[in-house]
Amino acid sequence: MAERERDVSVGQLLLAEYQTVKDEQKTRIGFRDNLLYVTLAAAAAVIAAAAQAKQPAMLLALPPVCVVLGWTYLVNDEKISAIGLYVRDELGPRLAAQVPGTGGGFSTFGWEVYHRRDARRRSRKAIQCVVDLVAFCAVPLAALVVFWVSGEGGGLMVVLSALEALAVVGLGVQVVLYTRPAGPALTPP
């Protein structure tokens, strides 16, 4: 009897997995959200340094910083969404199937579905997309325009700035693509 009390049920394992993935999600949300502040601070520092030194070429530091921080933001945002999708479509139904006498008809983790039904969710996602595009793409593109208009820098600097512009535009495309709502869960073959 004492040995049976130490047995771990499938439900307990699933709940432990749920807690683990939700802890990861919470950590990623905090990290992701702080990346916006870090990006704004980095942009302000680069712009202030370039203005104080009267060196528009210093603005070329901004696009790589914004691309790296923006990509990190985007990857974390995607993982946050993936965790929610996994909880909704995989973990929840597996846990519900463990509830005796319900035939798997028991609903788990209602918040994971409920909060997605908000009528303003689409507009919030669109606004967040615009905020992300401004923070990670418009600001570095504006810095590049200021550099180009200044007429400073030789051919190598102009080539570098063009490559930076391509990287920023590429990030912008990814930001827009990742804004689309999550699709159905992928099940391994």
Side-chain angles (χ1 to χ4, degrees):
M1 181 80 166
E3 187 171 316
R4 186 170 183 145
E5 289 175 7
R6 289 190 309 209
D7 288 345
V8 177
S9 71
V10 172
Q12 289 169 324
L13 289 173
L14 292 172
L15 285 173
E17 181 181 8
Y18 170 76
Q19 188 60 53
T20 300
V21 296
K22 290 304 282 185
D23 287 346
E24 178 182 346
Q25 187 182 49
K26 183 173 124 182
T27 300
R28 285 183 178 275
I29 288 169
F31 182 72
R32 176 204 60 192
D33 292 351
N34 283 329
L35 284 171
L36 273 173
Y37 303 122
V38 170
T39 302
L40 292 174
V46 169
I47 292 167
Q52 187 174 19
K54 296 185 174 135
Q55 293 289 323
M58 291 176 70
L59 294 172
L60 294 182
L62 196 52
V65 167
C66 288
V67 167
V68 168
L69 292 172
W71 182 252
T72 305
Y73 176 94
L74 197 58
V75 167
N76 271 283
D77 191 60
E78 189 280 327
K79 294 301 178 207
I80 291 162
S81 296
I83 289 169
L85 185 63
Y86 175 72
V87 168
R88 280 190 312 279
D89 292 356
E90 296 290 329
L91 193 55
R94 286 175 31 216
L95 185 60
Q98 298 299 310
V99 178
T102 64
F106 180 74
S107 178
T108 57
F109 311 129
W111 175 249
E112 298 291 338
V113 175
Y114 180 80
H115 78 93
R116 300 174 61 80
R117 289 191 234 150
D118 181 12
R120 289 185 232 135
R121 185 170 187 273
R122 274 191 187 272
S123 63
R124 274 197 319 276
K125 285 189 76 67
I127 292 167
Q128 186 63 53
C129 180
V130 169
V131 168
D132 296 346
L133 287 171
V134 167
F136 299 117
C137 301
V139 170
L141 286 175
L144 289 170
V145 168
V146 169
F147 170 73
W148 292 327
V149 169
S150 77
E152 291 188 19
L156 184 59
M157 296 295 266
V158 172
V159 170
L160 174 64
S161 68
L163 290 173
E164 289 181 346
L166 288 174
V168 172
V169 169
L171 175 63
V173 168
Q174 292 301 308
V175 167
V176 171
L177 290 175
Y178 275 91
T179 298
R180 292 182 293 150
L186 302 174
T187 50

